[in-house]
Amino acid sequence: LPPRQEIESQVQAATRAIREDSLDAGPAGAHLYRTLFGPLDARFRHRTRWLLALDEGLFDVPVAALLESTRPRPVYVAERHTTVVVPGANYWLEAATRQTAGQPSPVFLGVGDPIYNAADPRLPRGRGNAGSGWTSPLRLFTASAPSAAAGLVLPRLVASGAELDNCARAWDGESILLRGAGATRRNLADQMRRNPAVVHFATHVLESSERPAFGLIALSLSDREEPELLTPFEIAHWRIDAGLIVLSGCYSAQGAALPGTGLMGLTRAWLTAGARAVVSSRWPTPDEDGPLFQALYRDLRTDRRADPGQALRIAQLEMIRSPGWHAQPRYWGAYYVIGGE
């Protein structure tokens, strides 16, 4: 491999180009693929399933969206390989010794479209007024947000309700949807005791004011008219036996990448709590009805024990072959699976 600084420069260039859907996305992605995987023996490159033990800046690489070949047509890594990131080599090795309570139940649990501000007409009567907001040392995970913000008022995720409905319909089984005033910490904790097969969050993700920063899941307003914030520290102390956790919010995969330890943050917290795998995003994601996730759950419903990495790959392939902007890697390439099995 070339020197570390050169690799980091290529990672930044390729990730930015893919995220922004620039003309450099293809060449930069192909160049990074050759750098990282070109030196491998063909017998490894031709394997259809890759477990990736990454470190530091490599967690930012949208591996599935890199171009493995450009002729006779561009071919993405996702078209030839299932890629699953392990949170750290030691964590992966220890996973074989962990005991679980059994298989998760066949329940789909959706959490989304919370009440985020007092202007929301769904706010129960007697609480708040249309002009109030809230202040916090947190900020939204957005590409243009300042390093700190005060007086932050969270906008409603208008399409997240449709996202939950469509995902539950694609699951085609028992489902529980916590939305609006019902998207609370207490309700979530109660339903997590059922060890659902899937927990889908269609919520805002905030960045903590600490450094290194970590993500927080923003739930509905509390009785004090403040959003309930679910932290990685709280999640990590839960004891659950859930299947797949899906965090569709912006930058939900962000966290500190510690040498030899792996990626911390929300993804590691859910794995520590007992989830089998986590799907999260590397960059900002649109507020829409979730076609990628509908494809993901349509595949999982046929086999409740299916591999989440393979299911995500099938969903990404469906997006690649679809018309319109969903075929672009800036949409489907944001998401990846991290797991310990």
Side-chain angles (χ1 to χ4, degrees), residues 110-324:
V111 183
D113 197 12
I115 296 176
Y116 280 136
N117 59 77
D120 194 318
R122 300 173 299 162
L123 189 69
R125 289 184 177 181
R127 290 177 54 188
N129 59 76
S132 65
W134 62 283
T135 60
S136 171
L138 308 171
R139 68 181 176 91
L140 276 171
F141 264 131
T142 60
S144 59
S147 59
L152 177 65
V153 176
L154 297 177
R156 180 180 179 183
L157 294 172
V158 178
S160 61
E163 180 179 327
L164 290 188
D165 289 336
N166 290 335
C167 289
R169 192 176 301 113
W171 178 253
D172 194 26
E174 182 179 359
S175 62
I176 299 168
L177 304 182
L178 304 179
R179 68 173 83 206
T184 65
R185 174 186 280 105
R186 174 178 294 180
N187 289 343
L188 174 62
D190 287 344
Q191 296 302 328
M192 290 302 299
R193 296 189 182 98
R194 302 185 65 177
N195 296 323
V198 173
V199 185
H200 184 98
F201 288 91
T203 67
H204 280 306
V205 175
L206 306 179
E207 182 181 11
S208 71
S209 56
E210 287 86 351
R211 291 296 179 269
F214 50 85
L216 306 102
I217 298 173
L219 302 175
S220 279
L221 295 180
S222 68
D223 291 337
R224 299 175 60 185
E225 299 176 24
E226 298 176 346
E228 292 186 329
L229 301 177
L230 195 58
T231 71
F233 308 105
E234 180 179 357
I235 294 169
H237 284 88
W238 288 1
R239 290 297 172 262
I240 63 176
D241 193 27
L244 176 65
I245 308 294
V246 176
L247 307 173
S248 71
C250 302
Y251 287 108
S252 55
Q254 293 296 303
L258 305 180
T261 301
L263 185 67
M264 308 305 288
L266 287 171
T267 55
R268 186 64 162 266
W270 281 112
L271 293 174
T272 300
R276 304 291 202 276
V278 181
V279 171
S280 55
S281 65
R282 292 185 172 92
W283 54 68
T285 57
D287 179 23
E288 56 156 23
D289 58 1
L292 175 74
F293 302 116
Q294 295 172 53
L296 171 72
Y297 297 132
R298 280 197 300 270
D299 183 69
L300 287 177
R301 77 182 179 189
T302 60
D303 183 359
R304 300 301 196 214
R305 296 171 296 176
D307 171 24
Q310 176 68 8
L312 179 61
R313 175 177 177 260
I314 291 173
Q316 290 172 327
L317 289 176
E318 185 172 323
M319 296 301 101
I320 292 171
R321 296 162 184 166
S322 67

